[in-house]
Amino acid sequence: MSAARPLEPWRWLGVPMLQAIAATIVFGIPLRAFGLQLPEPVFPMALAFAWAVIRPSMLAPFAILVMGLFLDIFWGGPLGLWALCLLIAYGAALAGRSMMAGQSRIILCVWYGLATATAMVAGYLFVMLDSRSTPGLIPMAWQFLATIVLYPFAQRLIDLFEDADVRFR
């Protein structure tokens, strides 16, 4: 395994944030092959989880807020929906950070699944309250599964920067 990289904000926050926004735009292209459309995973979810595991930060919640507002504007949803859901997932992961320390990748994957499920359930409830009707469970389940598949990206970010700041070990 390679040595950890220095913990500069543009490197562990800025670059992944731009990558998540670019991936969201690419997957938002209305391209159909054999009647199927690209999935719509929540790319910032991997970042929200990884940033909570890497270290507590004052900048990460603001970056998550910006990405959530971008998702709301890009997908045309209620403004603040994804921002709030991502911040809830970040808070849940940050609260469980001490329990995740030193755990295996499988356990971290389970934690990622729980954080994603928390965000999705919160989004479901908020949309239900906003529209006064129940959203479809099947599309939400597909989006959940597409987002769960992104765990290796969160793990890669964790592997790159987890040991960079010795104050938070």
Side-chain angles (χ1 to χ4, degrees):
M1 189 154 90
S2 65
R5 295 185 180 182
L7 201 58
E8 299 163 351
W10 68 270
R11 180 176 267 159
W12 76 284
L13 289 170
V15 173
M17 185 172 132
L18 292 175
Q19 290 171 338
I21 289 171
T24 299
I25 292 170
V26 168
F27 274 70
I29 295 172
L31 178 66
R32 292 189 180 271
F34 306 109
L36 300 173
Q37 187 175 348
L38 288 173
E40 296 176 359
V42 183
F43 287 99
M45 184 65 65
L47 301 181
F49 179 78
W51 290 342
V53 171
I54 292 170
R55 70 173 274 202
S57 170
M58 293 295 288
L59 296 175
F62 291 110
I64 291 168
L65 177 70
V66 168
M67 287 187 301
L69 292 174
F70 167 77
L71 288 177
D72 293 333
I73 293 168
F74 186 76
W75 295 117
L79 197 58
L81 171 72
W82 277 113
L84 183 58
C85 292
L86 289 170
L87 285 170
I88 288 171
Y90 176 78
L94 195 59
R97 183 176 185 275
S98 61
M99 291 183 279
M100 287 186 264
Q103 297 295 328
S104 69
R105 290 176 187 239
I106 294 171
I107 299 299
L108 284 177
C109 185
V110 170
W111 275 97
Y112 175 74
L114 290 172
T116 303
T118 301
M120 294 286 179
V121 167
Y124 182 84
L125 294 174
F126 295 144
V127 167
M128 189 170 65
L129 288 171
D130 184 50
S131 66
R132 292 183 176 84
S133 65
T134 57
L137 288 174
I138 303 283
M140 187 184 86
W142 281 114
Q143 188 173 35
F144 174 76
L145 289 174
T147 305
I148 289 295
V149 173
L150 299 176
Y151 173 72
F153 298 107
Q155 185 61 50
R156 176 155 166 66
L157 194 62
I158 292 167
D159 288 343
L160 283 175
F161 296 107
E162 185 177 37
D163 293 331
D165 193 350
V166 296
R167 296 176 296 168
F168 297 102
R169 284 191 197 170

